[in-house]
């Protein structure tokens, strides 16, 4: 029988993020319009250097605001399929980027961040790669230590109770339920 479980993590407090999203969107449109106006002056041949610089500045500002706007709508998807734990980042409900795929049996430890080992592992010199794939701070955060592609790695994430129970079934010695 196949084991499959999927969870999505969203920000719980989105008021400030929504405000930044709207402001960035409005400013993006204004700076994009200014870049187009400067580009139009370039084509007339007047004030060529100044217009090119303004076009570059407003174009870069437009792109930066676009990135800022999209980063206000981030989710993480955790998927468990037959012992494989996958993590993906979803940006603005349109772009999905796979971040990690690891066998649950490779975890040395999975425990709440309130566990005494968390601080020690956070500053451990042998951990080369850290994955912070959570959006809400608090007591629901867990950490895990594992070897991934020959690199000792650490993940801090916010799984639901069901996900932790499934981890416990596949790797009972490594998982501490908090």
């Amino acid at each position: 029988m196949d084991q499959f479980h999927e969870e999505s993590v969203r920000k719980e407090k989105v008021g400030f993020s929504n405000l930044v999203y709207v402001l960035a969107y409005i400013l993006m449109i204004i700076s994009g319009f200014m870049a187009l106006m400067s580009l139009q002056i370039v084509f007339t041949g007047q004030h060529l250097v100044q217009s090119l610089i303004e076009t570059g500045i407003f174009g870069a500002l437009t792109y930066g605001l676009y990135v800022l706007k999209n980063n206000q709508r981030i989710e993480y998807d955790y998927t468990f399929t037959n012992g494989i734990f996958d993590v993906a980042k979803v940006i603005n409900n349109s772009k999905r980027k796979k971040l990690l795929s690891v066998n649950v049996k490779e975890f040395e430890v999975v425990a709440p961040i309130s566990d005494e080992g968390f601080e020690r592992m956070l500053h451990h010199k042998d951990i080369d790669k850290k994955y912070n794939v959570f959006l809400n701070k608090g007591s629901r955060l867990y950490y895990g230590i594992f070897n991934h592609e020959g690199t000792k790695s650490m993940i801090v994430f916010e799984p639901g109770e069901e996900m932790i129970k499934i981890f416990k079934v596949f790797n009972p010695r490594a998982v501490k339920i908090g």
Side-chain angles (χ1 to χ4, degrees), residues 111-119 138-143 154 156-157:
I113 61 168
S114 59
D115 186 63
E116 67 275 352
F118 175 66
E119 283 297 322
S139 61
R140 296 186 321 218
L141 295 180
Y142 276 73
Y143 78 98
M154 177 180 193
V156 178
F157 63 121

Side-chain angles (χ1 to χ4, degrees), residues 66-95:
Y66 171 78
V67 171
L68 176 66
K69 174 185 76 77
N70 284 343
N71 282 335
Q72 299 308 307
R73 305 267 169 97
I74 291 179
E75 298 176 6
Y76 288 107
D77 285 344
Y78 307 143
T79 308
F80 179 89
T81 309
N82 296 328
I84 305 298
F85 179 60
D86 295 314
V87 179
K89 182 178 184 178
V90 180
I91 301 170
N92 205 21
N93 273 345
S94 61
K95 183 178 177 186

